[in-house]
Structure formats: C-alpha cells, structure tokens
Amino acid sequence: MKKIAVIFPGIGYHCDKPLLYYGKRLAARHGYEIREVPYGNFEPGIKGNPEKMQRAFRQALGQAEEILRDLNWEEYEKLLFLSKSVGTAVAAAYAGQRKLPAKNIFFTPVEETFAFVEHPGIVFHGTGDPWARTSRVEQLCREKKLPLYLTEGANHSMETGDVLKDLETMKQIMEQCEAYLSGI
C-alpha cells in the first residue's frame, strides 16, 4: 500500500522544528513517503494583520500548488497532511480544492483554517497561543468534530518556556500522533 505524508510548515516554523520533525519521523515509521512543502519569502509583520495573513495564505497556497503539481495523488492509497499554523489553512484548502481524502494532524491551527476543513484529523493548541483564541478553536473543533488536545499555557510553538515541561509536552503530543496514525 502506497502512503504519502505531506508536510505544510508555518510562516516561521519550518519542517525541521520539533512538531513537524518528529511528526514526519512518526509518519515515516508508519510507512509514509514524506513530501515537504518548503514555501516561504513572506512579508514581515503578519501576526495581527488580517490583510497580510490573507496574502501570506494565498502566497503559501500558490507555492504549495507549484511544489506539488507533479504529484500523482491517485497512486497513493493513504494521504496524510501534517501542518503547522498557516500551513494548516493551506493543507485544508489544498485538500478541499482537489477533493483529496487526506487525514490531518493540525499543529496550532490559525482560526481561518476551519473554514476549509472538510476531512478528519486531530488538533493541537496551546492556551497561550496569540495566533488563535482558545475559545474559538474549541468551538470550531466541536463544530467540525475534530479531537482537540489542549496544552495549558503553551504558545504557538507548543512551548511554555520551561524546557523540561516542554519536552514532556512534546512527548505527549507525539504519543497522541502515534495513536492517531495507528488508527488510520
């Protein structure tokens, strides 16, 4: 069975940062071919600026379309999209536009992501994330029937500033990802 995991990073959170690095290693261990979408060159000052966020999303989606244009989706029996931040919106929009039945692991999605979500997945969010309001993420996850894993006080990188606590959080997140991957 051919399986592919596509990695959609965030604006400043590339594929070799902890959530995506360990997430793609887990996917590879489950037999997924790994394909990264290394978009970039975003304008500065995006956080808190809806117009710049929308431009960054459109830019990242366009770059993802270009990077993945030669991929033959029909040859894969399982599709997994691992995404972070604005990459969660890009992954969901990309899957929706192409009617791809991708399963998802959404790390710290922005609120705009949920407008595009059509396929199952799991969501990780920190209550100290300045890019998305916890109450809104909780509500949208309920509406979309997406399991939500909250980390109290964690920021947009799922970190609190306490290194040992952050390592324990990372371990818990990867255990939840492992359980999800084992069930799909």
Side-chain angles (χ1 to χ4, degrees), residues 2 4 35 68-76 79:
K2 282 190 81 170
I4 189 167
R35 182 77 177 261
L68 299 172
R69 75 167 184 249
D70 296 329
L71 202 55
N72 180 5
W73 295 104
E74 289 76 36
E75 71 180 69
Y76 297 98
L79 306 177

Side-chain angles (χ1 to χ4, degrees), residues 84-140:
K84 170 76 173 81
S85 186
V86 74
T88 61
V90 174
Y94 185 89
Q97 287 175 353
R98 283 161 185 72
K99 307 291 185 230
L100 297 173
K103 303 291 194 273
N104 292 277
I105 297 176
F106 297 114
F107 294 119
T108 66
V110 294
E111 291 175 26
E112 294 80 3
T113 298
F114 296 94
F116 302 106
V117 173
E118 297 177 14
H119 298 95
I122 57 175
V123 176
F124 295 90
H125 172 78
T127 63
D129 186 343
W131 287 73
R133 295 168 295 165
T134 300
S135 61
R136 190 75 177 123
V137 170
E138 289 174 322
Q139 175 192 352
L140 293 165

Side-chain angles (χ1 to χ4, degrees), residues 135 137-146 148:
S135 61
V137 170
E138 289 174 322
Q139 175 192 352
L140 293 165
C141 283
R142 275 193 306 274
E143 289 172 10
K144 297 288 184 173
K145 297 180 177 25
L146 295 169
L148 171 62

Side-chain angles (χ1 to χ4, degrees), residues 3-9 15 20 24 27-28 32-39 63-73 75-76 79-83 94:
K3 305 189 280 187
I4 189 167
V6 182
I7 317 301
F8 295 86
C15 295
L20 295 177
K24 70 183 175 183
Y32 286 86
E33 172 187 325
I34 305 298
R35 182 77 177 261
E36 295 179 8
V37 182
Y39 42 70
Q63 289 177 25
E65 289 167 350
E66 182 65 23
I67 292 165
L68 299 172
R69 75 167 184 249
D70 296 329
L71 202 55
N72 180 5
W73 295 104
E75 71 180 69
Y76 297 98
L79 306 177
L80 173 68
F81 286 0
L82 271 87
S83 55
Y94 185 89

